Amino acid sequence: MLDISRATLCLGITLAATQALADENTTWRLFVADHAQPLVQAIDATTGKTLDRFEIKSPARLYSSESGSTVFAVQRDADVVSVISSGISLSDHGDHGDITIEGPRLLSSEIAGKKPVHFFDRKGEIAIFLDGEGAARIVTEKSMIEGTPDIREVTAPSPHHGFAAAFGDHVLVTEPHRDKPADELPIGLRVLDEAGATVGELHECPDLHGAAASGNLVAVACSSGLLIVRSGAQGPSFNFLPYGKDLPEGKSTTLVGGKGLQYFLGNYRPDAVVLVEPESEQPFRLIELPTRRVHFAVDPIRPKFAYVFTEDGKLSRVDVVAGKIAGTLQLTDPYSMDGHWNDPRPRIAVAGDKIAVTDPLKGVIHLVDAATFARSGEIAVEGKPYNVVAVGGSGEAH
Ligand code: ZN
Ligand code: ZN
């Protein structure tokens, strides 16, 4: 209802207004979490200006929603997930897109629960898995923005390091290890219906860790291959894609999903990434890196590219069509992968025409021009800028 009336209103204004009133606008914002402080800063990616600072409860891992309207700050050590309105909303008006720009703000809606870790957004339904409870809280982004969270919960048999994903009327949830649920990774995925009852069999996925969506597919990483989930009229369907014989010994434990092109990019051994195209004759292509991998991200705007940051301080551009590295750029001092997994190290986000890479030990964000793949500036950020997400886009503001 709301969407229709807004569209009608917008159409009315468009017809009544002169061309000059329709303003093409492009805005990108970076949301940066500090490594040590319970702080998220919102920064204009074009001007480098800090728009706002949000005090939260513990250092956070950040996730932007699919729509870009919100940023979720998952605070494992504070047992809470805070939600920040990005201040940018994009809507489709058929022949053109609209952008509405407001200030970013911390929403009153939050999700509380023991040890929240994994976040999964599927078409505006966001599932937060609480390792300490062995349960997931699922909310619609819309209800969080409106301040009336419509939280529903699904539970697994015991606390474990798991994940859940909303799938229409169904929910996918990890099945914990039978003997050592708290120490071992989950053994598979279960489908639950609206009443929380199991539908069908357990879908086996030993040492399950890592999941991503790309187009209409969700891929889940297991020790022996990927479980590919498709949505259908009868609920989700599954097929297992074993790692190919031409791949060396290894497995993926983190996946990101392509935007615009259907593919997944996963880690695979410390010094390589694997490109996965589930529909292809040769679904896995290994891409070796010069040194160990620190972080990787897909380019949502230029679907052909993804980026990998390695411990030698270099950013590599991966051509996902050719399955090759196409350009490498020295960006920071080395960041060794020896030491704790959670030591401050660079993270990547793509903000429109710029690739942003945090450099926590220098207190800056490096910007790389996405078209030329050359350095284009840096933004000084107080503290240790660590996890980063970018939100933005273009549209008309009538
Ligand atoms: Zn419009
Ligand atoms: Zn994890």
Side-chain angles (χ1 to χ4, degrees), residues 120 122-123 125 127 138 152 163-172 189 191-192 212-213 215-220 228-232 235-238:
F120 203 91
R122 196 168 167 280
K123 302 184 194 299
E125 283 203 279
I138 299 161
R152 61 193 169 112
F163 109 99
F167 238 85
D169 293 338
H170 299 91
V171 176
L172 308 183
L189 272 184
V191 180
L192 304 180
N216 60 345
L217 299 182
V218 170
V220 182
I228 306 295
V229 193
R230 281 178 177 75
S231 55
S237 62
F238 294 76

Side-chain angles (χ1 to χ4, degrees), residues 152-194:
R152 61 193 169 112
E153 186 171 306
V154 295
T155 48
S158 49
H160 67 283
H161 184 50
F163 109 99
F167 238 85
D169 293 338
H170 299 91
V171 176
L172 308 183
V173 64
T174 44
E175 179 71 4
H177 191 273
R178 297 268 148 80
D179 308 320
K180 293 181 176 174
D183 303 326
E184 301 286 333
L185 288 170
I187 58 169
L189 272 184
R190 206 175 268 289
V191 180
L192 304 180
D193 67 13
E194 273 178 311

Side-chain angles (χ1 to χ4, degrees), residues 200-220:
E201 317 249 290
L202 173 73
H203 303 278
E204 283 183 27
C205 177
D207 293 332
L208 186 158
H209 190 272
S214 180
N216 60 345
L217 299 182
V218 170
V220 182

Side-chain angles (χ1 to χ4, degrees), residues 10-11 14 93 96-98 396 398:
C10 171
L11 186 67
T14 308
H93 283 182
H96 70 277
D98 265 33
E396 280 182 20
H398 341 256

Side-chain angles (χ1 to χ4, degrees), residues 4-52:
I4 293 167
S5 56
R6 271 178 58 192
T8 310
L9 185 68
C10 171
L11 186 67
I13 292 168
T14 308
L15 292 177
T18 61
Q19 279 291 88
L21 276 177
D23 228 356
E24 174 76 18
N25 240 313
T26 299
T27 298
W28 283 89
R29 289 176 177 167
L30 296 168
F31 290 81
V32 191
D34 193 82
H35 184 266
Q37 303 300 318
L39 176 69
V40 178
Q41 300 183 71
I43 296 169
D44 185 307
T46 309
T47 63
K49 203 179 138 226
T50 300
L51 300 169
D52 214 335

